Amino acid sequence: MITKTIFKGSFGRSIVEIILIVIGVLIALWVDEWRSDLTEEKAVQQHLVGIVGEIDSNRWTLHRIRDTSIPRQIAALEYVIHILDQPDPEIEDPERFIETLIASAKIRSPWFERNSFDSFRTSEQYHSSHIQGLASTISDAYEAHTVLYGQRFDYRDAYKKTVSQLVPARYQSENNGMRSYTPARFLAPVIADAKSTDQVVAAIIDNRTELVQLARYKAERITAKWYAMTRIILEFQILRDEIFNHPLMQDIEVPVPERHSELEEARI
């Protein structure tokens, strides 16, 4: 068509048509890029909203353990040390003492949610130009617990092992450390054990020197765990604030978690 037009003497018109075609192609490319950019932006926003919800869930778990479970365990350790550190220990309520001893030896570690983060990290949006720097900050916060818990606070816990060896097997169903991870209506079968309460108390008193030493070491590990959890909570709080302050999140409504007020009160 251009050739025919040129031969007809309409060279100027041909140039205009070519320019219009080029402009049309450029506009089409720009519109396509704009749509692609908008789609990517919305996908990034969805990932960030999911991560915020996950952060709140992890913060709540950490606070529950650090501010509720650990203080109870410390109180149990104090009670055990106080009783067994006496020259001639007197245990007025054997059943209560045995249950407190078991409580002092329990292991309670946070169960972190990370499905939203893993989905984000394996997506194309993880490398999006919209969140340069923020993606690495999110990764650092999520991996912090693997570094801090790399100290393996619960690895080869001699105190827990010793307590488990002294306490009859029948106590494990109700007092096992995994009990809190299942609904109250579920209870593992009780394991029969003929060892009497008096025999248990006598064995505990015979091993009191070792138990007190191990209990003090357990206190050191619990203290370290408290510091580790506090650091992880701080990392999550800083990350949450940074996500909300990001330009992409300015007009986004994030669902308010049921535990929002509780989490705000627990902010460090």
Side-chain angles (χ1 to χ4, degrees):
M1 184 181 68
I2 293 173
T3 305
K4 290 179 180 179
T5 304
I6 292 173
F7 280 108
K8 287 181 180 180
S10 304
F11 183 76
R13 184 182 298 173
S14 299
I15 296 298
V16 171
E17 289 179 355
I18 292 171
I19 291 173
L20 289 176
I21 292 171
V22 171
I23 291 174
V25 170
L26 291 176
I27 291 175
L29 291 173
W30 177 82
V31 169
D32 186 64
E33 184 177 350
W34 175 78
R35 287 178 177 174
S36 177
D37 190 64
L38 185 62
T39 301
E40 183 181 85
E41 187 175 296
K42 289 182 178 179
V44 171
Q45 289 171 342
Q46 290 177 351
H47 282 298
L48 293 180
V49 169
I51 287 172
V52 167
E54 206 163 69
I55 287 172
D56 286 337
S57 179
N58 289 334
R59 285 171 59 213
W60 185 82
T61 299
L62 287 163
H63 277 296
R64 289 285 293 176
I65 296 176
R66 194 201 66 169
D67 301 337
T68 304
S69 298
I70 287 182
R72 283 202 298 258
Q73 191 169 18
I74 289 174
L77 274 172
E78 289 175 341
Y79 176 76
V80 169
I81 292 173
H82 172 71
I83 295 294
L84 296 183
D85 207 28
Q86 303 296 324
D88 188 15
E90 293 184 6
I91 301 176
E92 297 178 357
D93 188 343
E95 286 292 333
R96 180 200 168 198
F97 179 78
I98 292 172
E99 289 180 359
T100 305
L101 182 67
I102 295 172
S104 71
K106 282 183 178 178
I107 294 175
R108 185 74 188 276
S109 296
W111 192 308
F112 291 99
E113 293 183 17
R114 51 180 298 145
N115 290 338
S116 294
F117 167 68
D118 288 337
S119 174
F120 171 59
R121 188 174 57 176
T122 56
S123 69
E124 294 180 0
Q125 289 75 41
Y126 183 74
H127 303 285
S128 171
S129 59
H130 293 293
I131 51 171
Q132 287 181 347
L134 182 58
S136 60
T137 302
I138 294 173
S139 294
D140 291 343
Y142 267 84
E143 299 303 332
H145 73 278
T146 60
V147 176
L148 291 169
Y149 275 86
Q151 299 181 45
R152 306 177 80 176
F153 299 112
D154 306 319
Y155 181 62
R156 292 182 180 174
D157 192 324
Y159 180 67
K160 183 180 186 305
K161 180 180 179 180
T162 303
V163 170
S164 297
Q165 290 173 340
L166 291 171
V167 172
R170 65 176 179 273
Y171 283 91
Q172 292 301 329
S173 182
E174 185 66 35
N175 298 283
N176 194 278
M178 294 297 291
R179 181 76 177 89
S180 60
Y181 290 104
T182 57
R185 67 180 184 276
F186 294 104
L187 187 65
V190 177
I191 300 172
D193 193 334
K195 196 173 185 180
S196 68
T197 302
D198 290 338
Q199 289 175 320
V200 174
V201 172
I204 290 171
I205 291 176
D206 287 342
N207 290 273
R208 67 181 183 276
T209 301
E210 181 187 6
L211 278 172
V212 170
Q213 291 174 344
L214 292 175
R216 287 175 176 145
Y217 179 51
K218 179 78 169 181
E220 186 272 335
R221 294 161 77 91
I222 290 175
T223 303
K225 184 179 287 188
W226 189 96
Y227 282 120
M229 288 187 181
T230 300
R231 175 56 187 269
I232 298 170
I233 291 172
L234 280 170
E235 293 286 342
F236 275 134
Q237 287 181 180
I238 293 171
L239 174 61
R240 190 180 193 276
D241 293 339
E242 189 168 340
I243 290 174
F244 270 105
N245 291 329
H246 194 276
L248 279 180
M249 298 295 288
Q250 296 305 306
D251 300 322
I252 301 299
E253 292 186 8
V254 178
V256 178
E258 296 179 3
R259 311 181 183 109
H260 178 73
S261 58
E262 185 179 342
L263 284 171
E264 288 306 304
E265 291 176 2
R267 281 182 71 91
I268 298 174

